Amino acid sequence: EVFVPGMSIKRIIVKSAGPYSAKMVFRESPFRIGMDEYNRWAQRPTDMIRRYFGLFFGPPAGENLVAPENELELFITILTFECDMVDKKAAAAINVQIRRIKPERTLSDETYNETTAMTAMTAEAFAAAMSKNIQQIADKVRLKLVEIHQHN
């Protein structure tokens, strides 16, 4: 659990801009993707990311009172969430908007890309590599939150 002192994430909204649902997506070539009928995520990627970011940025008990101008919301759009069969890697691209709730203002709008090499082309290896990608993206968002807090 990571807490950015003086800031509070009140809402996390996650949507997908692609075919990323319960079925795992495998990129077969630069212009062709396949949906795996047998290997599925335990939760939809949107739900997984919302839950992960909620746990990652959750405030410690008793420290969730902050000034109203430091109450934030994250708008996350999944752009890529797939296994690249050609390059043998898991690829994630996620756009994260950090918005102040009151007064309403977008503080950051960035797209984060992460890839992790896969030694095996299995659903288990894909899930492990994607977990690493999301962890790295969450850490970059944490650094962005610290930067925002220092400059506001």
Side-chain angles (χ1 to χ4, degrees), residues 19-28 33-41 81-83 85 118 121-124 126:
Y20 311 110
S21 62
K23 295 178 184 175
M24 291 184 168
V25 175
F26 292 85
R27 180 157 299 280
E28 299 166 348
I33 61 171
M35 310 289 267
D36 192 324
E37 294 297 324
Y38 302 102
N39 293 303
R40 297 174 182 264
W41 295 107
F81 203 85
E82 58 196 37
C83 174
M85 303 280 289
M118 295 173 54
M121 301 309 313
T122 64
E124 293 81 13
F126 180 25

Side-chain angles (χ1 to χ4, degrees), residues 111-131:
T111 297
Y112 300 92
N113 294 288
E114 288 295 331
T115 60
T116 299
M118 295 173 54
T119 55
M121 301 309 313
T122 64
E124 293 81 13
F126 180 25
M130 192 56 78
S131 178

Side-chain angles (χ1 to χ4, degrees), residues 27-142:
R27 180 157 299 280
E28 299 166 348
S29 74
F31 305 105
R32 185 171 179 200
I33 61 171
M35 310 289 267
D36 192 324
E37 294 297 324
Y38 302 102
N39 293 303
R40 297 174 182 264
W41 295 107
Q43 299 177 37
R44 293 178 173 277
T46 51
D47 296 335
M48 283 190 287
I49 290 172
R50 182 181 307 105
R51 185 170 183 260
Y52 184 84
F53 272 64
L55 293 170
F56 190 78
F57 292 111
E63 292 192 35
N64 55 4
L65 297 176
V66 298
E69 64 271 13
N70 290 329
E71 291 183 342
L72 307 174
E73 54 192 1
L74 301 180
F75 285 84
I76 300 170
T77 304
I78 300 171
L79 305 172
T80 303
F81 203 85
E82 58 196 37
C83 174
D84 185 328
M85 303 280 289
V86 176
D87 293 331
K88 297 184 174 154
K89 63 184 179 183
I94 296 176
N95 177 266
V96 179
Q97 291 182 14
I98 302 171
R99 296 183 187 173
R100 178 182 294 144
I101 296 173
K102 292 180 184 176
E104 188 175 318
R105 184 173 145 218
T106 299
L107 303 174
S108 174
D109 184 350
E110 295 194 28
T111 297
Y112 300 92
N113 294 288
E114 288 295 331
T115 60
T116 299
M118 295 173 54
T119 55
M121 301 309 313
T122 64
E124 293 81 13
F126 180 25
M130 192 56 78
S131 178
K132 187 181 232 182
N133 288 344
I134 300 306
Q135 167 68 44
Q136 291 170 337
I137 290 170
D139 197 49
K140 289 178 181 180
V141 172
R142 180 191 60 81

